[in-house]
Amino acid sequence: MIVDVATYRDGRRHEVPDLAATLQACRVDADGPSSAPEDPAQEEFLWLGLKDPTAAEFEDVASSLHLHRLAVEAAVAGHQRPKIEWFGDTVFVVLKVLEYFDDTSSVETGEIMLFVGRRFVVTVRRGAVGALTTVRSAVERDRRRLARGPKGVLHAVMEHVVAGYATIDGELEQDVEEMEEQVFSPSRSSDAQRIYSLKREVLEVRRGAFPLVAPLKRLVEAGTGDHPAPHPEVPHHPVDAQALFVLRDVLDTLVRTVEHVETYDRLLTDILNAHLAQVSVRQNDDMRKISAWAAIAAVPTLIAGVYGMNFKDMPELNWHYGYPLCVLAMVGICVVLYRLFKRSGWL
């Protein structure tokens, strides 16, 4: 399904009356012998946004833009690992989009895949999260970013996705701190299931963010022109200082988020172990208390059981003060046992 489509030139949006013709023009012009204009802002490019396309819906786009078959299959199938790959002069990027829901403290995952050529950007979104409406609006308001062409769109999408990681990082930090307080609070309000659920959410964030670090580093290095090109067929394309600053800032945010998430994972493991140790200690305390009260209760039970056997010749059976003495002995022994257990910490 097509979400949005437009061409951009001179920092302005232009509607697309004939998508098929525009796709062919973008590919033919990009493959043609003519060189790019001196001012990149003068070169028109297409931004096509798709959501959950089927193979049939994506076939015309793929054939018109000469997209690589493996990349197209990955975009249609989804469930890909975050990566950046070069197929000729087209860059294929897979990003995991994460969204945090505060009411359930859960993280939902979606996917954004981008095909970036010299004169086109195709964004494929899979899942319920990760809408790019705000990104497109922000890019359309920023003429400097539009002037960078498809690369400016790629940088904007990556910046948006990684900023979402940083937001979730802050939410997870609060959740981990609250869980830590609950585990060590006397109210016993924490449980292993909640800790494990939070640990699963942290791992979900790590699976989305961590694999992107290495490819993004390669992209930054390729942008400087000081390192070998990521693909032997791709020449160096140094980017301007502002774009390179954005990429490095995105990389720094991503690395910082991954480091934090790994710390949360280790901390939650320690919290879970501490919780299980506390449960074991509390069970031992409860068993000691039960044992102590059972020992105290055993004394009067024993005495009452002996004098309840109704034998004729029993000591003190016919003595006038036998019953009060028996009750007093039971109470006294119970008090002594209680004080002994209390002093030893069993009660």
Side-chain angles (χ1 to χ4, degrees):
M1 180 180 69
I2 296 178
V3 178
D4 197 358
V5 57
T7 58
Y8 298 89
R9 186 175 184 177
D10 298 328
R12 294 183 177 86
R13 174 188 173 110
H14 303 277
E15 299 303 324
V16 177
D18 188 350
L19 178 59
T22 303
L23 289 172
Q24 291 290 345
C26 288
R27 182 73 261 178
V28 170
D29 290 351
D31 291 341
S34 60
S35 59
E38 294 181 1
D39 185 3
Q42 299 296 321
E43 187 173 32
E44 185 179 57
F45 72 93
L46 170 72
W47 185 354
L48 173 62
L50 303 173
K51 182 182 184 301
D52 296 324
T54 63
E57 292 172 341
F58 203 57
E59 182 178 0
D60 292 340
V61 176
S63 60
S64 299
L65 298 177
H66 301 172
L67 303 180
H68 197 278
R69 177 181 58 84
L70 295 178
V72 172
E73 292 177 356
V76 172
H79 304 290
Q80 301 296 309
R81 180 181 173 88
K83 58 186 176 182
I84 301 176
E85 295 181 341
W86 280 259
F87 296 97
D89 61 346
T90 301
V91 182
F92 177 58
V93 182
V94 179
L95 303 173
K96 290 290 186 181
V97 187
L98 305 175
E99 187 171 345
Y100 181 85
F101 294 91
D102 190 59
D103 53 344
T104 59
S105 296
S106 61
V107 177
E108 296 294 332
T109 305
E111 280 182 305
I112 294 178
M113 284 157 278
L114 300 94
F115 296 86
V116 183
R118 200 189 86 190
R119 289 199 53 205
F120 64 85
V121 178
V122 179
T123 56
V124 180
R125 180 165 67 93
R126 307 199 66 88
V129 301
L132 295 176
T133 305
T134 56
V135 180
R136 187 184 285 261
S137 299
V139 170
E140 290 176 352
R141 291 193 301 268
D142 189 349
R143 299 191 64 177
R144 291 184 303 174
R145 182 161 282 179
L146 277 178
R148 301 187 190 111
K151 288 184 179 180
V153 176
L154 172 61
H155 299 167
V157 173
M158 297 184 73
E159 186 178 13
H160 169 74
V161 170
V162 174
Y165 295 167
T167 301
I168 295 177
D169 176 21
E171 298 289 347
L172 290 178
E173 182 180 11
Q174 294 181 5
D175 290 344
V176 172
E177 289 178 353
E178 291 175 1
M179 187 63 66
E180 190 175 17
E181 292 176 359
Q182 291 175 3
V183 166
F184 294 101
S185 68
S187 61
R188 303 186 184 183
S189 57
S190 64
D191 59 77
Q193 183 177 358
R194 292 179 60 191
I195 300 174
Y196 185 74
S197 298
L198 182 56
K199 187 176 177 65
R200 286 292 302 271
E201 303 303 330
V202 169
L203 291 176
E204 187 75 18
V205 176
R206 188 181 186 278
R207 281 196 295 265
F210 179 75
L212 187 60
V213 174
L216 187 54
K217 285 182 178 179
R218 292 172 57 205
L219 189 63
V220 171
E221 292 171 355
T224 62
D226 297 330
H227 298 267
H231 191 280
E233 299 178 3
V234 181
H236 291 300
H237 293 289
V239 297
D240 59 89
Q242 181 63 28
L244 189 58
F245 175 79
V246 171
L247 278 179
R248 285 176 172 168
D249 184 63
V250 170
L251 178 60
D252 290 342
T253 302
L254 179 62
V255 171
R256 183 169 59 251
T257 300
V258 169
E259 290 175 351
H260 290 175
V261 169
E262 291 177 343
T263 301
Y264 302 151
D265 185 28
R266 293 191 296 268
L267 183 57
L268 283 172
T269 299
D270 295 338
I271 291 175
L272 181 59
N273 292 334
H275 170 75
L276 296 177
Q278 284 186 336
V279 170
S280 178
V281 170
R282 289 167 182 170
Q283 288 178 342
N284 291 336
D285 290 340
D286 293 340
M287 287 302 300
R288 288 194 301 178
K289 291 179 181 179
I290 293 172
S291 301
W293 284 113
I296 294 174
V299 173
T301 302
L302 176 62
I303 297 176
V306 170
Y307 279 92
M309 290 187 292
N310 295 322
F311 290 115
K312 182 177 180 180
D313 297 325
M314 292 184 66
E316 316 300 341
L317 187 62
N318 295 318
W319 186 35
H320 180 71
Y321 296 102
Y323 175 74
L325 181 62
C326 184
V327 172
L328 183 61
M330 288 189 291
V331 172
I333 295 173
C334 289
V335 170
V336 171
L337 289 176
Y338 176 82
R339 295 188 64 178
L340 290 175
F341 285 129
K342 190 74 172 177
R343 184 179 301 173
S344 63
W346 283 48
L347 289 176

